[in-house]
């Protein structure tokens, strides 16, 4: 799957081990890299759906975004590249038609409630 980044800082920490560990810490930096590797190796988002890290769709003000766990309470948040996210007749997202993602941020979105 193709991966892009919403900003240069995310891209820099993704591609530099030393910078990643300095910015995120060892454990969270390793999980960040692991999830990027999983996404990169996947053909579609469906390929990572049931991997450890709880890949899941977000709702409410983050509808159209996905997340996976880093070190609690932080999540890696991303959006599909598809300009119109594929849905079935019932309005559910079709994970196996999503072939690229943009990494948006690392955040604790639970504070937004």
């Amino acid at each position: 799957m193709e991966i892009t980044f919403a900003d240069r800082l995310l891209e820099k920490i993704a591609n530099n081990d030393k910078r990643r560990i300095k910015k995120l810490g060892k454990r969270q930096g390793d999980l960040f890299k692991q999830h990027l590797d999983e996404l990169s190796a996947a053909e579609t988002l469906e390929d990572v759906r049931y991997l450890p890290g709880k890949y899941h769709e977000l709702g409410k003000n983050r509808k159209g975004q996905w997340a996976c766990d880093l070190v609690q309470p932080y999540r890696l948040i991303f959006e599909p590249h598809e300009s119109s996210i594929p849905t079935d007749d019932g309005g559910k997202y079709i994970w196996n038609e999503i072939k690229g993602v943009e990494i948006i941020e690392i955040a604790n979105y639970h504070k937004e409630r």
Side-chain angles (χ1 to χ4, degrees):
M1 183 172 348
E2 180 186 357
I3 299 174
T4 57
F5 297 88
D7 66 48
R8 289 177 48 108
L9 177 59
L10 280 169
E11 188 170 12
K12 284 180 180 180
I13 64 174
N15 295 313
N16 184 303
D17 293 340
K18 195 172 188 177
R19 184 174 281 181
R20 184 173 50 256
I21 300 303
K22 183 177 182 182
K23 179 76 174 162
L24 301 176
K26 173 92 171 105
R27 185 165 169 239
Q28 185 151 281
D30 288 348
L31 284 171
F32 177 68
K33 178 73 168 128
Q34 176 184 334
H35 293 317
L36 290 177
D37 290 346
E38 291 166 352
L39 288 165
S40 181
E43 287 186 38
T44 70
L45 196 54
E46 182 69 28
D47 295 337
V48 299
R49 188 174 197 164
Y50 300 106
L51 293 179
K54 292 176 61 180
Y55 288 84
H56 57 284
E57 300 171 20
L58 300 179
K60 297 185 182 174
N61 64 327
R62 288 190 175 267
K63 187 158 179 62
Q65 295 181 342
W66 273 253
C68 59
D69 292 349
L70 294 173
V71 175
Q72 295 295 341
Y74 293 94
R75 305 291 192 272
L76 176 62
I77 301 166
F78 53 93
E79 295 177 340
H81 282 169
E82 287 74 11
S83 58
S84 178
I85 303 172
T87 57
D88 65 15
D89 292 337
K92 294 179 83 174
Y93 293 127
I94 304 173
W95 288 50
N96 64 0
E97 291 185 15
I98 297 170
K99 299 179 188 301
V101 296
E102 180 170 66
I103 306 299
I104 303 300
E105 64 181 327
I106 294 170
N108 174 9
Y109 58 74
H110 296 105
K111 294 190 309 186
E112 296 172 0
R113 293 181 181 172

